Amino acid sequence: MASASRKCNIFGTKIIKFLPPLTRRISISIPNQKDGSDGFFSKLFVRRIEPTKESHSTMLSDKEIIYELQTHQVKPAFLDKYLGNYEKHVELSNDLKISELLASWVVGIGDQDQVIHLWRYTGGYAGVDTSLKILKENKDAQKLLKERLECLRLRQTQFLLPFSFWPSIEPRKGNNIYEIRSYILKPGTMIEWGNNWARAINYRQHNNEAYGGFFSQVGRLYNVHHIWCYSDMQTRKETREVAWRKPGWDECVAYTVPLIREMDARILLPNKFSPTQ
């Protein structure tokens, strides 16, 4: 069977791609730069990662600490009741010493009537199993859960691992806002993302804004969350502009953009019982 052909025009140059039956092969050549710098096209495509026998999680993180990101869609008229219930749930969890709430936020800009909680489990997944079992067998916890479900429209949870190159999570004081930037990556690109952000995080320390960086293990996969802390929206704007003025930040952005399928940003406001403010 003869191969089909297709013409396309990129920046005024005609390119013919031959499409054999059932397969499509695209060959991209990048001209050498005389000055040794990367060309424009080199930043549009993902660099090759060599095969490895190690899992992504082993290469990028310490698996002994597991984080849980809970996302709850609350019925608008039930927000106060829900937050009161969840505060009691946090107090009970502290008494049982099963897990640690690091942060609790309500979304201020983005998905409205959404509440996000970040929990930490020590001891790896064995610690997660123990915590879930204790909550399931505790009558007070189950009563609170039943009451809480009446306030919700939808709930979602993910188990995450922290990127090893991000700063350790520390509680913040004062009246801060937080930004959670969530990315859905193309499968197979997590190591490339980590390689670039291991450099990129150094450009984002102007105001100690890096709060936490995670990638998903259970739930929606190839999902990355970066959480930033700012004193206000104006500080956020100024801090991001400082990063763009630093040589090298634009390179990191250019290499990571092709890895992304979807991205989303939400501004978060700490709840009164949140350990980080």
Side-chain angles (χ1 to χ4, degrees):
M1 182 180 295
S3 299
S5 65
R6 178 183 299 168
K7 290 185 177 181
C8 62
N9 189 297
I10 301 179
F11 303 127
T13 302
K14 292 183 178 179
I15 299 175
I16 299 179
K17 297 178 182 177
F18 292 93
L19 307 176
L22 304 180
T23 63
R24 177 178 179 180
R25 300 177 181 177
I26 301 178
S27 177
I28 299 170
S29 61
I30 302 173
N32 294 326
Q33 302 295 307
K34 295 181 179 179
D35 60 357
S37 61
D38 291 337
F40 173 79
F41 282 100
S42 68
K43 299 177 183 178
L44 298 181
F45 302 98
V46 180
R47 291 175 288 173
R48 178 176 296 178
I49 298 298
E50 296 300 324
T52 176
K53 295 183 179 179
E54 294 185 278
S55 68
H56 291 178
S57 58
T58 300
M59 298 176 68
L60 293 171
S61 182
D62 175 7
K63 299 173 70 173
E64 291 305 306
I65 300 179
I66 309 296
Y67 293 83
E68 182 183 11
L69 190 70
Q70 298 179 354
T71 304
H72 292 171
Q73 303 281 1
V74 184
K75 298 175 183 176
F78 288 79
L79 183 58
D80 289 340
K81 180 180 179 180
Y82 165 84
L83 292 176
N85 175 287
Y86 205 89
E87 184 173 8
K88 294 178 181 177
H89 169 67
V90 173
E91 293 171 353
L92 177 60
S93 297
N94 291 338
D95 292 339
L96 296 173
K97 295 180 171 58
I98 54 175
S99 55
E100 179 185 6
L101 180 72
L102 296 182
S104 176
W105 304 282
V106 62
V107 175
I109 303 175
D111 299 318
Q112 298 296 286
D113 306 309
Q114 187 177 86
V115 183
I116 297 175
H117 311 286
L118 181 65
W119 291 84
R120 178 165 59 193
Y121 301 83
T122 57
Y125 281 108
V128 173
D129 291 336
T130 299
S131 298
L132 295 180
K133 181 179 179 181
I134 292 175
L135 286 175
K136 186 176 181 180
E137 295 175 351
N138 186 280
K139 293 183 179 180
D140 292 334
Q142 290 303 303
K143 180 181 178 182
L144 287 171
L145 175 60
K146 185 177 180 180
E147 295 173 354
R148 191 159 62 249
L149 291 177
E150 296 176 356
C151 303
L152 297 176
R153 296 184 289 113
L154 185 69
R155 57 183 179 146
Q156 175 185 334
T157 189
Q158 286 180 303
F159 285 116
L160 313 171
L161 290 177
F163 285 114
S164 59
F165 49 82
W166 270 67
S168 299
I169 295 179
E170 300 291 343
R172 307 297 176 89
K173 298 179 180 179
N175 298 318
N176 297 303
I177 65 170
Y178 292 76
E179 180 180 17
I180 181 168
R181 298 178 71 88
S182 302
Y183 307 87
I184 303 297
L185 304 185
K186 299 174 183 177
T189 62
M190 187 63 71
I191 297 298
E192 179 72 355
W193 181 274
N195 287 344
N196 281 286
W197 267 97
R199 292 188 302 118
I201 192 64
N202 296 311
Y203 299 103
R204 296 301 311 273
Q205 300 295 329
H206 180 68
N207 284 322
N208 192 30
E209 65 265 27
Y211 177 76
F214 312 92
F215 62 97
S216 60
Q217 276 249 296
V218 181
R220 189 168 189 177
L221 298 179
Y222 283 95
N223 195 179
V224 170
H225 302 285
H226 292 173
I227 304 177
W228 308 94
C229 178
Y230 306 101
S231 57
D232 49 43
M233 290 295 289
Q234 179 63 25
T235 302
R236 172 187 177 274
K237 172 181 177 293
E238 294 170 356
T239 301
R240 289 173 56 82
E241 289 176 349
V242 168
W244 277 105
R245 289 196 293 267
K246 294 179 179 179
W249 170 251
D250 60 334
E251 294 277 340
C252 294
V253 173
Y255 281 126
T256 54
V257 166
L259 311 179
I260 301 170
R261 280 188 168 176
E262 299 177 26
M263 59 187 298
D264 177 67
R266 288 163 288 176
I267 299 298
L268 311 177
L269 308 177
N271 291 313
K272 66 177 185 178
F273 56 86
S274 174
T276 189
Q277 294 288 316

